Amino acid sequence: QVHLVESGGGLVQAGDSLRLSCVASGPTFSRQALGWFRQAPGKERKFVAGINWSGESIYVLDSLKGRFTISRDNAKNTVYLQMNNLKPEDTAVYYCADSHSVYDAFEYGDWGQGTQVTVSS
Protein backbone atom coordinates (compact mmCIF):
# COMPACT_ATOMS: atom_id res chain seq x y z
CA GLN A 1 0.00 0.00 0.00
CA VAL A 2 1.19 3.49 -0.86
CA HIS A 3 1.30 6.22 1.79
CA LEU A 4 0.90 9.75 0.41
CA VAL A 5 1.68 13.09 2.06
CA GLU A 6 0.78 16.39 0.39
CA SER A 7 2.38 19.79 0.99
CA GLY A 8 2.76 23.19 -0.62
CA GLY A 9 -0.65 24.69 -0.03
CA GLY A 10 -1.19 28.12 1.41
CA LEU A 11 -2.90 31.49 1.16
CA VAL A 12 -2.13 33.37 -2.04
CA GLN A 13 -3.59 36.17 -4.09
CA ALA A 14 -5.34 35.80 -7.41
CA GLY A 15 -2.79 35.52 -10.21
CA ASP A 16 -0.15 33.89 -8.02
CA SER A 17 1.32 30.44 -8.50
CA LEU A 18 1.75 27.46 -6.19
CA ARG A 19 3.38 24.09 -6.60
CA LEU A 20 1.92 21.27 -4.60
CA SER A 21 4.00 18.22 -3.79
CA CYS A 22 2.94 14.74 -2.85
CA VAL A 23 5.58 12.39 -1.47
CA ALA A 24 4.83 8.70 -1.71
CA SER A 25 6.20 5.84 0.28
CA GLY A 26 5.67 2.18 -0.39
CA PRO A 27 7.17 -0.41 -2.70
CA THR A 28 4.72 0.07 -5.58
CA PHE A 29 5.14 3.84 -6.14
CA SER A 30 6.96 3.52 -9.45
CA ARG A 31 4.20 1.35 -10.91
CA GLN A 32 1.31 3.50 -9.87
CA ALA A 33 -0.55 6.28 -11.57
CA LEU A 34 -0.87 9.29 -9.29
CA GLY A 35 -3.45 12.00 -9.30
CA TRP A 36 -4.64 15.19 -7.72
CA PHE A 37 -8.18 15.90 -6.62
CA ARG A 38 -9.69 18.94 -4.97
CA GLN A 39 -12.69 19.57 -2.79
CA ALA A 40 -14.14 23.00 -2.23
CA PRO A 41 -16.40 23.71 0.76
CA GLY A 42 -19.83 22.25 0.21
CA LYS A 43 -18.85 20.59 -3.06
CA GLU A 44 -17.91 17.11 -4.17
CA ARG A 45 -14.32 16.09 -4.63
CA LYS A 46 -13.24 16.64 -8.23
CA PHE A 47 -10.52 14.91 -10.26
CA VAL A 48 -8.01 17.56 -11.31
CA ALA A 49 -5.06 15.76 -12.89
CA GLY A 50 -3.42 12.35 -13.20
CA ILE A 51 -0.14 10.95 -14.49
CA ASN A 52 1.08 7.42 -15.10
CA TRP A 53 4.32 6.05 -13.73
CA SER A 54 6.36 6.92 -16.83
CA GLY A 55 4.86 10.39 -17.21
CA GLU A 56 3.74 9.60 -20.75
CA SER A 57 0.03 9.50 -20.00
CA ILE A 58 -1.38 12.65 -18.47
CA TYR A 59 -4.86 13.85 -17.69
CA VAL A 60 -5.77 17.42 -16.76
CA LEU A 61 -9.32 18.66 -16.26
CA ASP A 62 -10.25 20.58 -19.41
CA SER A 63 -11.14 23.77 -17.56
CA LEU A 64 -7.68 23.81 -15.93
CA LYS A 65 -5.56 23.13 -18.99
CA GLY A 66 -3.10 25.93 -19.57
CA ARG A 67 -2.95 26.80 -15.87
CA PHE A 68 -2.34 23.47 -14.09
CA THR A 69 0.45 21.02 -14.89
CA ILE A 70 1.11 17.64 -13.31
CA SER A 71 4.53 15.99 -13.24
CA ARG A 72 6.38 13.40 -11.24
CA ASP A 73 9.90 12.55 -10.18
CA ASN A 74 10.16 8.86 -9.44
CA ALA A 75 13.68 9.27 -8.03
CA LYS A 76 12.17 11.50 -5.33
CA ASN A 77 8.95 9.52 -5.01
CA THR A 78 7.10 12.76 -5.64
CA VAL A 79 4.28 14.01 -7.83
CA TYR A 80 3.76 17.72 -8.37
CA LEU A 81 0.88 19.97 -9.30
CA GLN A 82 2.01 23.31 -10.68
CA MET A 83 -0.81 25.83 -10.48
CA ASN A 84 -0.43 29.15 -12.25
CA ASN A 85 -2.64 32.21 -12.47
CA LEU A 86 -4.65 31.03 -9.50
CA LYS A 87 -8.24 32.16 -9.13
CA PRO A 88 -10.52 32.37 -6.09
CA GLU A 89 -12.50 29.42 -7.47
CA ASP A 90 -9.36 27.29 -7.13
CA THR A 91 -9.76 27.50 -3.36
CA ALA A 92 -10.08 23.95 -2.06
CA VAL A 93 -8.37 21.17 -0.18
CA TYR A 94 -6.13 19.36 -2.62
CA TYR A 95 -5.61 15.62 -2.23
CA CYS A 96 -3.19 13.17 -3.75
CA ALA A 97 -4.14 9.58 -4.51
CA ASP A 98 -2.88 6.62 -6.51
CA SER A 99 -4.40 4.27 -9.01
CA HIS A 100 -3.72 1.60 -11.60
CA SER A 101 -5.42 3.78 -14.20
CA VAL A 102 -4.64 7.40 -14.97
CA TYR A 103 -8.02 8.36 -16.36
CA ASP A 104 -10.57 6.61 -14.15
CA ALA A 105 -11.27 8.86 -11.15
CA PHE A 106 -13.11 6.09 -9.32
CA GLU A 107 -10.03 3.86 -9.28
CA TYR A 108 -7.98 6.26 -7.14
CA GLY A 109 -7.32 5.46 -3.49
CA ASP A 110 -4.73 5.60 -0.69
CA TRP A 111 -5.69 9.22 -0.10
CA GLY A 112 -3.34 11.70 1.51
CA GLN A 113 -4.47 14.05 4.25
CA GLY A 114 -4.82 16.99 1.88
CA THR A 115 -3.32 20.46 1.69
CA GLN A 116 -5.38 23.64 1.80
CA VAL A 117 -5.13 26.16 -1.02
CA THR A 118 -6.84 29.49 -0.49
CA VAL A 119 -6.86 32.13 -3.21
CA SER A 120 -7.95 35.64 -2.26
CA SER A 121 -9.32 38.08 -4.80
Side-chain angles (χ1 to χ4, degrees):
Q1 183 176 352
V2 177
H3 180 62
L4 303 169
V5 178
E6 304 94 334
S7 63
L11 173 62
V12 297
Q13 293 185 333
D16 287 349
S17 297
L18 277 177
R19 187 176 77 161
L20 305 183
S21 299
C22 173
V23 179
S25 59
T28 61
F29 169 78
S30 64
R31 297 188 291 275
Q32 295 285 348
L34 291 169
W36 287 96
F37 291 70
R38 70 184 185 184
Q39 187 167 20
K43 296 187 177 180
E44 293 186 352
R45 189 160 51 193
K46 180 175 288 188
F47 184 27
V48 171
I51 185 169
N52 75 332
W53 70 272
S54 70
E56 294 177 349
S57 295
I58 290 176
Y59 166 84
V60 177
L61 185 65
D62 282 347
S63 61
L64 300 178
K65 288 179 179 177
R67 295 197 300 123
F68 285 25
T69 303
I70 187 171
S71 62
R72 67 189 288 168
D73 184 340
N74 289 342
K76 296 181 178 180
N77 291 346
T78 302
V79 63
Y80 303 99
L81 184 68
Q82 178 68 43
M83 306 184 295
N84 297 328
N85 189 23
L86 283 161
K87 303 176 180 181
E89 52 264 41
D90 294 319
T91 295
V93 178
Y94 285 72
Y95 297 92
C96 180
D98 74 334
S99 173
H100 291 289
S101 171
V102 174
Y103 301 104
D104 189 343
F106 295 102
E107 289 290 326
Y108 282 84
D110 297 323
W111 299 94
Q113 84 290 347
T115 186
Q116 175 71 47
V117 172
T118 303
V119 185
S120 63
S121 57

